[in-house]
């Protein structure tokens, strides 16, 4: 299956934004060792993609809320079919179908961005100044645009360079190997950190899933993907890493806004468990202080109601409680002996 349509689409958006920034006066030449028109074109490629995918992102949040609301029922099914994995999976799929919850929706926005990432990766990899005129005009580029992008830099490091660039590739890009490695290394670390923060932000707000498969996906998103970037980041062009970091920053801001607009259900804690029983009775809650993590605080004790005193019957004389009190007995003096 040919992916040329993706490469044409990515190139068209990238060149459109570059022309827009060039038209409003952003210098195409290097300022502080950076060709800002091309850097901003990559950043606003992210903005374009995220605006297009925003409705999918909102559906992702709503689906996660639906999954979260179903956690008590999922836990009950796990207890009911403990040891019978096949029946458990059938019952859970039936529950998800009935409640219109999709467990895979949480990963959908990321999967939809993979073609964009691969398209940009391919386009930047072909920015070789030594290409012939035919290669330079591929995917709708002009020769001038191709030559301009081929020498575009971020703080003197070419956007087509990467941490693992060979000496031959660096020579073609007229780049210093140490500068490229330092800039690429810093960006890879930032990419790993922001990728971790995007997953952590979502898990802190929605809690860990009760479903083992969902929890495994959450752990993969939180730890597995950032760790894998330490190795794979060495083959990413600097322009692709700029795209990834910008995408993560956009995700952090977007998630913060959406999570405020669609907050987690009030009866679900950060650990993903309900804090109220089926009848609504209050349960002991976990205290969240620095030293109180994991401790449970009992509910506040209620004072017993004071007993009601019955009033006098109709027609009865009011009694004075003071008169009814017996006087303190006087001490008896010993009788005098006669005689």
């Amino acid at each position: 299956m040919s992916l040329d349509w993706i490469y044409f689409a990515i190139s068209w958006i990238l060149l459109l934004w570059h022309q827009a920034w060039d038209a409003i006066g952003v210098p195409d030449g290097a300022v502080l060792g950076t060709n800002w028109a091309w850097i901003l074109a990559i950043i606003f490629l992210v903005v374009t993609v995220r605006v297009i995918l925003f409705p999918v992102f909102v559906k992702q949040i709503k689906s996660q809320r639906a999954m979260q609301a179903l956690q008590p029922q999922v836990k009950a099914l796990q207890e009911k079919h403990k040891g019978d994995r096949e029946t458990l999976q059938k019952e859970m799929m039936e529950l998800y179908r009935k409640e219109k919850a999709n467990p895979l929706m949480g990963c959908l926005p990321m999967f939809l961005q993979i073609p964009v990432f691969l398209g940009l990766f391919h386009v930047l990899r072909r920015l070789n100044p030594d290409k012939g005129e035919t290669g330079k005009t591929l995917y709708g580029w002009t020769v001038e645009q191709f030559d301009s992008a081929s020498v575009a830099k971020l703080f003197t490091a070419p956007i087509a360079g990467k941490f693992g660039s060979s000496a031959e590739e660096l020579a073609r890009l007229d780049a210093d190997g140490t500068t490229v490695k330092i800039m690429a290394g810093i960006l890879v670390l930032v990419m790993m950190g922001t990728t971790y923060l995007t997953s952590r932000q979502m898990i802190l707000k929605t809690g860990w899933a009760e479903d083992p498969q969902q929890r495994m996906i959450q752990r993969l998103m939180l730890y597995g993907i950032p760790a894998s970037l330490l190795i794979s980041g060495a083959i990413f062009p600097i322009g692709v890493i700029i795209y990834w970091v910008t995408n993560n920053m956009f995700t952090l801001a977007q998630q913060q806004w959406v999570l405020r607009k669609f907050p987690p259900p009030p009866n679900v804690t950060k650990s993903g468990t309900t804090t109220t029983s089926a009848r609504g009775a209050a349960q002991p809650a976990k205290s969240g202080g620095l030293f109180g993590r994991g401790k449970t605080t009992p509910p506040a004790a209620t004072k017993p109601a004071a007993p009601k005193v019955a009033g006098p019957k109709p027609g009865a004389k009011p009694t004075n409680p003071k008169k009814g009190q017996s006087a303190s007995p006087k001490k008896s003096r010993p009788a005098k002996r006669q005689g």
Side-chain angles (χ1 to χ4, degrees), residues 171-188:
R172 284 202 308 263
L173 296 171
D174 191 23
D176 178 68
T178 303
T179 303
V180 171
K181 280 181 168 54
I182 291 174
M183 184 56 59
I186 293 173
L187 287 174
V188 167

Side-chain angles (χ1 to χ4, degrees), residues 135-158:
K136 292 180 178 180
T137 56
L138 195 62
Y139 308 135
W141 292 65
T142 65
V143 175
E144 293 77 13
Q145 289 170 334
F146 188 92
D147 289 338
S148 175
S150 297
V151 298
K153 294 178 173 63
L154 175 67
F155 301 118
T156 72

Side-chain angles (χ1 to χ4, degrees), residues 51 55 71-72 76 92 138 173 207 241 269 300 304 338:
V51 168
Q71 290 307 308
M92 288 177 59
L138 195 62
L173 296 171
I241 304 177
T269 64
Q338 295 179 358

Side-chain angles (χ1 to χ4, degrees), residues 41-270:
I42 294 174
I43 291 173
F44 276 81
L45 169 65
V46 176
V47 175
T48 304
V49 172
R50 295 309 297 264
V51 168
I52 294 173
L53 294 180
F54 183 75
V56 180
F57 183 78
V58 174
K59 286 185 179 180
Q60 174 198 15
I61 298 295
K62 290 183 177 180
S63 177
Q64 288 176 337
R65 292 291 178 270
M67 293 291 296
Q68 201 172 15
L70 292 176
Q71 290 307 308
Q73 298 180 55
V74 170
K75 195 169 183 179
L77 288 175
Q78 290 172 344
E79 292 293 330
K80 180 180 178 182
H81 302 291
K82 187 180 295 184
D84 190 354
R85 199 170 189 81
E86 184 178 352
T87 304
L88 175 62
Q89 290 298 324
K90 288 181 179 179
E91 291 285 341
M92 288 177 59
M93 289 300 104
E94 178 63 23
L95 176 64
Y96 293 152
R97 185 195 63 78
K98 182 180 178 182
E99 300 295 334
K100 298 180 180 180
N102 189 352
L104 299 179
M105 183 60 73
C107 301
L108 185 60
M110 183 186 70
F111 288 143
L112 291 178
Q113 291 184 73
I114 289 177
V116 180
F117 173 79
L118 294 176
L120 181 63
F121 180 83
H122 176 81
V123 168
L124 292 181
R125 281 189 63 186
R126 57 178 290 274
L127 290 180
N128 180 2
D130 295 337
K131 280 184 178 292
E133 185 172 336
T134 304
K136 292 180 178 180
T137 56
L138 195 62
Y139 308 135
W141 292 65
T142 65
V143 175
E144 293 77 13
Q145 289 170 334
F146 188 92
D147 289 338
S148 175
S150 297
V151 298
K153 294 178 173 63
L154 175 67
F155 301 118
T156 72
I159 61 174
K162 50 186 180 293
F163 188 89
S165 291
S166 64
E168 183 182 354
E169 290 173 335
L170 293 171
R172 284 202 308 263
L173 296 171
D174 191 23
D176 178 68
T178 303
T179 303
V180 171
K181 280 181 168 54
I182 291 174
M183 184 56 59
I186 293 173
L187 287 174
V188 167
L189 292 177
V190 175
M191 177 174 62
M192 292 173 62
T194 52
T195 301
Y196 169 80
L197 289 175
T198 55
S199 298
R200 182 175 180 270
Q201 181 190 49
M202 183 64 72
I203 292 174
L204 284 178
K205 292 291 184 181
T206 60
W208 288 97
E210 294 288 342
D211 182 10
Q213 291 183 348
Q214 289 294 309
R215 187 178 286 256
M216 183 180 66
I217 293 175
Q218 286 178 322
R219 291 189 183 279
L220 177 65
M221 298 284 289
L222 185 61
Y223 302 114
I225 293 179
S228 68
L229 294 177
L230 184 62
I231 300 173
S232 59
I235 66 172
F236 292 164
I238 287 177
V240 171
I241 304 177
I242 294 172
Y243 173 89
W244 194 305
V245 171
T246 305
N247 186 63
N248 286 344
M249 300 301 292
F250 199 97
T251 301
L252 285 170
Q254 194 176 61
Q255 284 183 169
Q256 184 66 22
W257 181 82
V258 173
L259 289 170
R260 284 185 178 181
K261 191 172 181 63
F262 302 100
N267 64 330
V268 178
T269 64
K270 291 182 180 180

